Amino acid sequence: MPVNALYTDLSDYYDLMCADIDYEAQSHCVHRLQQIFGNGGRRHLDLACGTGPHVRHFLDAGYRSSGLDINQPMLDKAALRCPEAQFSLQDMCGFSAGEPFDLITCFLYSVHYSGSIERLKACIASVHATLAVGGLFCFNVVDKSRIDNRLFASHSVAHEGSQFSFQSCWHYHGQGEAQSLRLSIERTCAGETQVWQDEHPMVAVTFAELQALLQPYFDVQVLEHDYERIAPWDQTSGNALFACVKI
Ligand SMILES: C[S@@+](CC[C@H](N)C(=O)[O-])C[C@H]1O[C@@H](n2cnc3c(N)ncnc32)[C@H](O)[C@@H]1O
């Protein structure tokens, strides 16, 4: 199966894999950040929107939301979940839009899918070009110098007579601008188990490098990766929420 099968052949399992994510809390936190730091406007674009769970919450909170993603099977699911939203098949490292946005989001570490520093720069430039002045670009990231390759997240869920186990971990070699996200999906049904392994190439950066890329364009706040409270990054956590206001 090709790399990134989770977003194509296995996309029916994506929402199950994310069943333990509190999308409502994440969306609400970013809405608060938009009110505190951004321009308060309601034109919203979600980059790498996947099956659209955040778009759903932003629509319900009164935003005029849209999403883009590079994989059509994900967008097909997003369109079913959010029939009133606009979705487009685009690369977040070179997208265009007909109107400016007040809020651009990129959740679940998806900004790392830009894959290289050059493409990350192109993503930041596209965001800057499509954001209204005072608008907010908000995303979460992991710092390559703080990745522990031994750590992983896992969860299990029963669905339509099958038992699913999902596992994910970051992997970084210790140098360079490439890291990967390794995923494993296990499905057991009537005593038979199928296993899929998926490895996703991603860009590796430090928070300091990322701040340097963003600062010419944005006023940057680095915050703790906590969707329940807004607090400055404690300088030790390996993941963080970036809130960037267009200057
Ligand atoms: C981990 S999922 C996140 C989906 C959604 N944001 C969420 O929080 O559930 C990553 C998504 O990024 C999309 N993606 C990967 N590379 C992309 C790119 N270059 N441009 C746009 N979307 C991309 C994938 O198709 C997938 O839907």
Side-chain angles (χ1 to χ4, degrees):
M1 201 161 276
V3 164
N4 294 347
L6 179 63
Y7 306 134
T8 52
D9 310 73
L10 299 179
S11 60
D12 283 350
Y13 300 139
Y14 182 79
D15 287 338
L16 277 180
M17 189 184 89
C18 295
D20 61 346
I21 294 178
D22 192 342
Y23 284 109
E24 188 174 3
Q26 294 185 0
S27 306
H28 182 65
C29 173
V30 172
H31 163 61
R32 287 175 63 211
L33 292 174
Q34 165 68 344
Q35 289 180 318
I36 296 167
F37 298 114
N39 63 11
R42 299 282 170 135
R43 295 167 299 179
H44 168 232
L45 172 67
D46 191 28
L47 304 181
C49 64
T51 60
H54 293 103
V55 171
R56 183 66 267 160
H57 286 294
F58 280 101
L59 288 167
D60 293 344
Y63 282 78
R64 190 144 52 83
S65 281
S66 45
L68 70 80
D69 199 280
I70 208 164
N71 284 302
Q72 190 62 46
M74 301 298 272
L75 290 174
D76 292 343
K77 291 174 175 50
L80 287 176
R81 176 177 266 144
C82 312
E84 65 273 60
Q86 298 281 328
F87 292 101
S88 63
L89 184 66
Q90 291 199 75
D91 182 351
M92 65 183 162
C93 302
F95 64 92
S96 56
E99 60 161 355
F101 295 99
D102 302 303
L103 173 65
I104 299 183
T105 51
C106 191
F107 288 99
L108 213 51
Y109 305 103
S110 302
V111 83
H112 288 279
Y113 278 101
S114 48
S116 68
I117 297 290
E118 272 318 295
R119 280 177 45 83
L120 178 60
K121 284 184 191 167
C123 176
I124 292 168
S126 288
V127 168
H128 185 258
T130 46
L131 203 56
V133 173
L136 181 72
F137 176 34
C138 194
F139 57 94
N140 58 347
V141 266
V142 61
D143 183 315
K144 69 179 183 183
S145 66
R146 293 161 210 268
I147 288 175
D148 182 342
N149 290 335
R150 294 164 303 179
L151 298 182
F152 62 88
S154 64
H155 82 104
S156 299
V157 61
H159 179 71
E160 293 181 348
S162 295
Q163 186 68 29
F164 289 86
S165 287
F166 300 95
Q167 207 177 90
S168 61
C169 62
W170 292 110
H171 192 269
Y172 182 53
H173 287 291
Q175 53 188 11
E177 60 174 82
Q179 68 188 38
S180 60
L181 177 67
R182 293 179 175 173
L183 300 173
S184 137
I185 303 174
E186 220 176 272
R187 176 186 179 216
T188 303
C189 183
E192 272 197 30
T193 299
Q194 289 171 286
V195 181
W196 297 283
Q197 309 282 356
D198 216 2
E199 180 148 357
H200 300 231
M202 292 184 145
V203 67
V205 280
T206 63
F207 292 164
E209 287 167 350
L210 189 53
Q211 279 172 283
L213 295 180
L214 289 159
Q215 264 152 6
Y217 300 97
F218 298 97
D219 183 8
V220 181
Q221 309 273 341
V222 185
L223 304 170
E224 274 294 282
H225 195 265
D226 184 343
Y227 293 104
E228 301 298 330
R229 74 193 172 100
I230 295 167
W233 177 52
D234 69 0
Q235 310 276 330
T236 58
S237 314
N239 51 357
L241 201 52
F242 274 57
C244 312
V245 176
K246 176 167 170 170
I247 300 166

